Amino acid sequence: MYCANAKDYVLDYLSLTVERNPTLKVLLNSDIAMAELTGSFNPEGLWPALSEIMSSVVPNYQWPITAHEPQNFELKLEILDFSQIGEALIGNLSIAQNAILHLSVDENKDFFEGLFSAKDVVWEGNKCYELLVDFKKPDEFVYASAMMDSITGDWGSVPNVSLDARSEGDVIFSDFVWGNENTLHKGDVGAQFSFPQSDAVAIDFYRDWE
C-alpha cells in the first residue's frame, strides 16, 4: 500500500531485485509495471544529459545544462496498468495497458535512442490511437518520428497522422502529414528550425494542406 494525493493505493504484487555483476541491474515486477534497468541512471540527471548531447548537435542554441553525473543506462519498461500512476501523479494523462518504453543513453558517446508505443494515450481530452514514437542519435545527427492512426478531441478528428524530424548541422527539418486520398482532409506541412542566436529559434514553413 502507498499514499499519494491524500489517497491510499494498493499493490497486489511487488518485487524489486537489485544485482551487481559487475554492472548494476534493477528488476521490477508488479501488477502495474515490469521494468529492467541496467547501468548508471539518475532521474535528476537525465534531462541535463540529453541537453548535453543535443548541444553537440545544435551548438548555437543555449541548452539548459547543469552539473550532473554522466548517464549510461538502458531501460526497458512495460506499463501494465497506468490508472494508479495517472490518478496518483498525473491526473490528466491516461495510457492504455501494456504500453512499452525503451530508453538507452550513453552520454560519454553522445548517444541516445528511445521508443514508446501505446494502443491509446489521452491528454487533456485529446486521444491518440495506436501511438508510436521513435527517436535516436546514433551519429552526429538526431532522428525522430511519431505516428498514430488518428487523434480525436472535442474539436473533431484527424486520421493517419505522422511527424518526422531530423537534424542537419544547426538546422532541424520536420514534416507533418495527416490524412490520405480517402479522407475528407489531408495535408503535408514542412518546417525548418534554425538557431540564429543562442536564445532564439527561427521557423520557416513550407507546403500546404487541404
Side-chain angles (χ1 to χ4, degrees):
M1 177 180 291
Y2 65 97
C3 179
N5 295 332
K7 185 176 179 180
D8 293 332
Y9 297 88
V10 177
L11 291 177
D12 293 327
Y13 178 73
L14 174 63
S15 171
L16 184 65
T17 304
V18 179
E19 303 174 354
R20 191 182 293 274
N21 188 26
T23 304
L24 177 66
K25 177 184 288 188
V26 180
L27 302 173
L28 169 68
N29 192 356
S30 73
D31 48 358
I32 62 174
M34 294 189 299
E36 178 180 318
L37 175 63
T38 305
S40 176
F41 172 69
N42 183 338
E44 294 181 355
L46 178 57
W47 180 248
L50 294 178
S51 297
E52 184 90 48
I53 296 173
M54 286 299 298
S55 69
S56 67
V57 179
V58 186
N60 281 357
Y61 185 72
Q62 186 175 352
W63 295 90
I65 302 172
T66 57
H68 60 279
E69 292 288 333
Q71 302 284 291
N72 182 8
F73 69 89
E74 180 178 5
L75 171 66
K76 299 177 182 178
L77 172 66
E78 182 177 0
I79 303 173
L80 304 178
D81 184 359
F82 187 79
S83 59
Q84 284 195 27
I85 303 172
E87 186 178 347
L89 303 176
I90 316 173
N92 50 7
L93 175 65
S94 174
I95 300 176
Q97 291 183 349
N98 302 114
I100 293 174
L101 171 65
H102 290 174
L103 180 62
S104 297
V105 176
D106 189 341
E107 190 175 354
N108 291 330
K109 295 182 179 180
D110 283 341
F111 166 85
F112 65 77
E113 67 176 355
L115 181 144
F116 174 77
S117 67
K119 186 174 180 61
D120 59 67
V121 175
V122 182
W123 172 260
E124 296 285 358
N126 301 300
K127 189 170 186 178
C128 302
Y129 294 90
E130 300 295 344
L131 175 64
L132 176 63
V133 179
D134 178 44
F135 54 92
K136 57 187 172 183
K137 183 190 176 294
D139 45 39
E140 66 269 30
F141 305 119
V142 173
Y143 310 88
S145 65
M147 297 178 290
M148 63 194 78
D149 283 359
S150 66
I151 178 171
T152 64
D154 295 338
W155 42 267
S157 176
V158 178
N160 305 117
V161 179
S162 67
L163 173 64
D164 292 284
R166 77 181 193 282
S167 68
E168 189 170 315
D170 275 333
V171 179
I172 296 177
F173 299 93
S174 67
D175 193 21
F176 178 56
V177 180
W178 67 94
N180 55 45
E181 297 296 333
N182 299 318
T183 59
L184 179 62
H185 300 287
K186 64 177 181 178
D188 185 354
V189 177
Q192 176 180 306
F193 299 82
S194 56
F195 305 86
Q197 301 175 13
S198 62
D199 59 349
V201 180
I203 306 175
D204 295 316
F205 293 95
Y206 51 94
R207 301 187 188 134
D208 57 8
W209 55 89
E210 300 177 9

